[in-house]
Amino acid sequence: MDRLPLNYEQLYAKWHRMAPEIRSGHKFFPRSATAEIWESKLHLMHNIIQSHPDADECDRCGQCCRDFPFACRPIEFFYLLPYLASRTEERQRQFFYRQLGRLRGDGRNYCPFHEAAGCSIYPVRPLLCRRSIFGDHICNKRSRQFASFGEWCNFESVVKQLTITNLVYYYDDGPKGSVELNWPLTWSNRQGIVSLTVAPFEIWLLLLLGEQNICRKIMTLENFQPILGFLQGGGLAYTGLSHEGILT
């Protein structure tokens, strides 16, 4: 399987009807948090991006785009949607018909925004893709003499990046404390209600278009191994490359 088994024509038709509303500023936030919280986090993310312009150390070679499966948070999904909706209709159609749902041999997903010319959403790419935000691009970790990836993760500027991005991903929910922004699903497993915190673009898109049943079928495909993050009962339950046992 080199592509997710989706009806891309039908998905594009639903997106085509929704795109004008997205361009006009309408938001389709899930009810896991108030619209005010979602809006404030979008505003914060935009301010962070504007106040930390891209460093020259990234030459946009696309190596990290090819090496790492694409996944993002829901707030990053909503941040890039207006950019996607502002493209010409033909380019949007080609995105659905040619770019979406492509899979690697190991079942991980390709980034649907990485094209021959490079990143097609570079100005609004997710925070994870912005490792050059403080001048320490993820590519450069290979040239440093760190003993392990964990040691690199504790590098001062990387910790600073994570601290700032967590301000975008999490919000204060009063008695519950700090909660990660998430998208509740309409199904549950033995541990209770499941909410998504990290997923490929295709998963978020299916949820946006109201295709929860198709989303569940896709997430449980044996040959699809996306990066997923879950919340269960208010706490982080799982993050990884395999979802085995989560949606049973």
Side-chain angles (χ1 to χ4, degrees), residues 23-35:
R23 285 196 299 271
S24 67
H26 186 83
K27 304 296 194 306
F28 297 88
F29 300 129
R31 296 181 179 179
S32 54
T34 65

Side-chain angles (χ1 to χ4, degrees), residues 95-207:
F95 174 75
F96 274 75
Y97 280 56
R98 295 183 180 180
Q99 294 294 117
L100 274 182
R102 295 179 300 125
L103 298 179
R104 308 162 188 260
D106 60 2
R108 302 182 189 183
N109 56 294
Y110 284 103
C111 174
F113 302 107
H114 184 245
E115 302 175 354
C119 177
S120 63
I121 57 163
Y122 197 76
V124 294
R125 67 196 187 282
L127 295 174
L128 182 63
C129 304
R130 296 175 180 269
R131 289 302 194 188
S132 62
I133 202 168
F134 293 107
D136 288 289
H137 192 267
I138 194 169
C139 299
N140 295 334
K141 74 182 178 67
R142 296 168 183 158
S143 64
R144 304 194 190 100
Q145 299 303 310
F146 291 124
S148 66
F149 181 72
E151 185 178 327
W152 177 81
C153 287
N154 289 322
F155 190 55
E156 182 179 354
S157 64
V158 175
V159 172
K160 186 177 181 182
Q161 291 179 48
L162 293 174
T163 300
I164 289 181
T165 54
N166 282 344
L167 293 176
V168 177
Y169 299 151
Y170 290 82
Y171 68 99
D172 185 8
D173 193 24
K176 294 182 180 179
S178 182
V179 177
E180 187 168 1
L181 287 168
N182 61 86
W183 199 312
L185 305 179
T186 56
W187 63 87
S188 62
N189 66 4
R190 299 184 188 94
Q191 286 72 46
I193 300 298
V194 176
S195 296
L196 270 178
T197 59
V198 181
F201 177 84
E202 289 85 352
I203 297 297
W204 299 127
L205 182 65
L206 287 170
L207 294 175

